[in-house]
Amino acid sequence: MSARLKERYAEEIRPQLLERFGYSSVMQVPRLEKITLNMGVGEAKQNTAMLEAAIEQMTVIAGQKPAVRRARKSIAGFKLREGMPVGVMATLRGERMWEMLDRLQSIALPRVRDFRGLNPQSFDGRGNYSMGIREQIIFPEIDYDSIDQVRGLNVTITTTAETDDEARELLRMLGMPFRRDGDEGQTAAAMRQEQEAAERRAAEEAARQELAPEKPDEPEESEAGEAGEEPAASANGGEPSAEEKSE
């Protein structure tokens, strides 16, 4: 079964991008290429249990076993030797990539405390977007009681867009919650409250329209009244006068 975000891209977003930017071919339309997750584990050089815990947590988040990243050179100031493990990395493509993006923007990011939207300027100039996550516990797959410590990770979304504007529009249409320029944005709680209030108002309006009685039709005036043929009532209560009787 194809990911819902992938189907939405193929059916709705891609045709809109094709029309908006005036591409000559559908193959020029920007698309997602991969999502890379990186988690640094500096304590792994002294405690191998930290590395094993990070691998386990990244496996749960990404849905696949990550690769261990090792130091490329020795740094005496950090007591680091070449070849020591310093982090884990997972690269997602295909269906896992689409599902990861869907979970990230629909479930994980709204769980961030005082979330006010993502920075729309965090592009590298070649259509790739990066963001930092301070706590891995925003992913509901992570059991808070079973983690050894809170760790952050970096998420990089690689696209085929040639410019940052095209990539930004692609991610925005996919549902990435960018904040507006010069605006602090709203917290996730405030956005949820506004959405719930709007849904409640819509439900009340629908119920009101359904229960409202139909407006009765206006009574039509008689043809005699319109033509002026109805005789006027006499002063004696509508009875004929003496002259009328004699006639």
Side-chain angles (χ1 to χ4, degrees), residues 49-244:
M50 294 287 186
L51 179 63
E52 295 176 358
I55 292 175
E56 181 180 355
Q57 294 168 16
M58 182 66 80
T59 302
V60 173
I61 294 174
Q64 67 184 39
K65 189 173 181 179
V68 177
R69 306 299 293 175
R70 300 184 180 275
R72 297 181 180 179
K73 62 180 181 178
S74 301
I75 304 177
F78 293 99
K79 299 181 181 179
L80 186 66
R81 292 195 303 270
E82 183 180 357
M84 277 187 172
V86 293
V88 293
M89 181 190 71
T91 302
L92 307 179
R93 302 176 187 270
E95 297 294 327
R96 288 180 179 173
M97 173 190 67
W98 289 104
E99 292 175 357
M100 178 64 195
L101 181 62
D102 196 0
R103 287 187 291 116
L104 178 66
Q105 64 189 19
S106 301
I107 302 175
L109 289 178
R111 288 162 59 96
V112 176
R113 182 182 303 176
D114 295 333
F115 178 69
R116 298 179 182 274
L118 298 174
N119 184 4
Q121 306 300 329
S122 298
F123 287 86
D124 63 352
R126 294 173 292 180
N128 305 318
Y129 185 78
S130 297
M131 74 180 80
I133 297 176
R134 296 182 179 180
E135 301 175 344
Q136 82 277 34
I137 57 177
I138 66 172
F139 292 94
E141 299 86 356
I142 299 295
D143 184 9
Y144 181 80
D145 297 330
S146 63
I147 63 173
D148 54 345
Q149 70 176 25
V150 175
R151 295 187 179 89
L153 65 150
N154 182 268
V155 180
T156 301
I157 303 175
T158 304
T159 71
T160 60
E162 296 182 357
T163 64
D164 291 346
D165 291 337
E166 295 173 332
R168 186 181 299 107
E169 186 65 18
L170 168 64
L171 295 181
R172 187 191 64 80
M173 297 180 71
L174 286 172
M176 192 64 70
F178 292 122
R179 66 171 180 263
R180 291 172 295 182
D181 293 337
D183 188 6
E184 290 294 332
Q186 292 179 313
T187 63
M191 288 188 289
R192 284 196 298 268
Q193 290 177 359
E194 288 189 359
Q195 183 178 3
E196 292 174 359
E199 293 176 355
R200 185 164 55 252
R201 288 194 298 268
E204 292 175 355
E205 182 64 23
R208 189 180 300 109
Q209 293 179 359
E210 183 177 353
L211 297 177
E214 295 183 0
K215 185 177 181 181
D217 297 336
E218 296 289 341
E220 297 181 358
E221 297 181 359
S222 60
E223 296 180 359
E226 293 178 357
E229 298 175 356
E230 184 177 357
S234 59
N236 56 359
E239 296 181 0
S241 61
E243 296 178 356
E244 293 174 351

